[in-house]
Amino acid sequence: MQAFYADHFVLPLPEGHRFPMQKYRLLRGRLVAELPEVVLCEAPRATDGELALAHDPAYVEAVQTGSLSPAAQREIGFPWSEAMAERSRRSVGATVAASRLAFSDGIAANLAGGTHHAGVAQGGGFCVFNDLAVAARLMQAEWFRRARRALQVLVIDLDVHQGNGTAAIFRDDPTVFTLSLHGEKNFPFRKVPGDLDVDLPDGCSDDAYLQALELALQEVEHRFDPGFVLYLAGADPHEGDRLGRLKLSHDGLEARDRRVFSWAFERGLPLAFAMGGGYGHDLQTTVQAQFNTYRVAAQFHARWQNRRR
Ligand SMILES: [Zn+2]
């Protein structure tokens, strides 16, 4: 299975900044050491034209040239730098590359991304550009060129925070269905309604979560007919997360991932996934959760290859 990374484009953060940037490098290290079936590739950069599929060109330009206002930078949560702009483009490029590959390989990944708080003309909550939205629109355009019919895209957002940016971008777009399961009391405090939002109470544990996921997938089944799935496999619903407020165990998160991958696999739907949030009290917990997602994904990749033979 191929996965795209951009963690070597280092985004400089001030001392004591609360974003755990090193988790990406740690995850890549563990994949190299312990999961050789995951082939790691450098992420390409998303072009202006690709970004403009989901973002206002003036916003793309402001990120590129460093003319974001101090308030816009505060909203994002990262100070602007050339490296920040480059890293953000690469992270979108990684989800785009993984999405393209999913159509031939069944499943592929971005080692970062899942920046679902970014909207059309602004970032937020550590998100600059919305990789899921750009990839969805670009896959639709490329699919239409080849197949002469529309591609419907399902976004399954299981990060613990609601995907407000993705919901806003696709608000009036019936060709993209946004599903989000998230903590009701968590950021963003003003949520933007998506196509299906499931609010979970503080302390929600494995069984209740998996049941909610099952019901949500059943409802999607009735309401939408996707040709492609984008999955945001956030590690922040884990019980050891600083920001998550939910209580999923590693086993629960693994069952969640397995359910999503098998749901797509059973329906023959290509799937690309991104990592999203993870802010473990102990960062190794976050990295372990993400590593587990890759372990399960690699099993499904093998099943896709067997199916093709
Ligand atoms: Zn999150």
Side-chain angles (χ1 to χ4, degrees):
M1 183 182 78
Q2 287 191 48
F4 296 83
Y5 64 91
D7 63 274
H8 57 310
F9 297 96
V10 176
L11 191 168
L13 293 178
E15 188 92 14
H17 191 282
R18 68 198 183 107
F19 191 85
M21 200 55 79
Q22 60 285 26
K23 68 184 177 178
Y24 300 114
R25 189 177 43 79
L26 293 171
L27 174 61
R28 179 151 67 103
R30 285 207 52 193
L31 291 172
V32 168
E34 298 170 54
L35 209 58
E37 51 270 56
V38 175
V39 178
L40 295 160
C41 317
E42 183 181 286
R45 51 202 312 271
T47 64
D48 285 353
E50 289 167 349
L51 294 172
L53 291 169
H55 294 288
D56 186 338
Y59 173 63
V60 174
E61 169 92 12
V63 172
Q64 193 55 36
T65 56
S67 54
L68 288 170
S69 70
Q73 290 180 56
R74 268 199 308 278
E75 197 67 29
I76 289 170
F78 296 139
W80 184 87
S81 60
E82 271 180 37
M84 177 261 221
E86 179 68 15
R87 169 74 170 256
S88 304
R89 270 180 192 265
R90 296 275 175 172
S91 187
V92 176
T95 298
V96 165
S99 297
R100 277 199 191 110
L101 207 58
F103 282 87
S104 55
D105 275 19
I107 184 166
N110 176 359
L111 258 72
T115 41
H116 58 165
H117 300 310
V120 174
Q122 76 285 323
F126 306 133
C127 303
V128 179
F129 298 125
N130 195 313
D131 58 321
L132 306 162
V134 172
R137 288 251 165 91
L138 188 59
M139 291 312 102
Q140 289 185 316
E142 293 183 356
W143 181 259
F144 189 82
R145 223 164 39 222
R146 280 197 306 272
R148 291 288 146 194
R149 56 194 166 79
L151 175 72
Q152 302 222 93
V153 180
L154 170 62
V155 178
I156 300 179
D157 184 341
L158 302 186
D159 187 279
V160 83
H161 303 101
Q162 196 239 0
N164 57 332
T166 321
I169 290 169
F170 294 116
R171 191 184 339 228
D172 301 312
D173 185 342
T175 67
V176 177
F177 191 103
T178 55
L179 162 64
S180 177
L181 265 72
H182 47 258
E184 182 183 9
K185 297 223 171 70
N186 218 320
F187 176 90
F189 302 107
R190 207 178 307 147
K191 299 178 178 28
V192 176
D195 292 296
L196 180 53
D197 287 296
V198 181
D199 292 327
L200 299 165
D202 283 358
C204 178
S205 57
D206 293 347
D207 287 348
Y209 188 96
L210 293 169
Q211 198 180 1
L213 173 62
E214 203 54 51
L215 288 173
L217 290 172
Q218 279 171 24
E219 185 171 339
V220 170
E221 188 94 64
H222 288 123
R223 291 174 52 190
F224 194 69
D225 183 21
F228 175 54
V229 178
L230 282 162
Y231 174 37
L232 209 183
D236 46 15
H238 188 265
E239 58 195 343
D241 200 87
R242 278 187 287 128
L243 307 180
R245 309 177 71 114
L246 304 190
K247 286 215 165 8
L248 270 73
S249 67
H250 280 306
D251 286 349
L253 284 175
E254 189 171 326
R256 171 199 75 168
D257 293 338
R258 197 173 287 285
R259 185 65 191 111
V260 172
F261 293 143
S262 73
W263 190 88
F265 180 77
E266 284 158 13
R267 287 158 184 76
L269 297 171
L271 177 149
F273 67 97
M275 299 323 296
Y279 313 90
H281 287 289
D282 174 357
L283 199 52
Q284 297 300 342
T285 320
T286 296
V287 175
Q288 184 64 48
Q290 296 182 328
F291 179 82
N292 292 345
T293 301
Y294 275 85
R295 201 159 31 74
V296 178
Q299 293 165 7
F300 277 90
H301 180 263
R303 291 177 64 183
W304 273 98
Q305 309 323 304
N306 287 336
R307 181 189 268 177
R308 293 232 153 78
R309 273 189 209 118

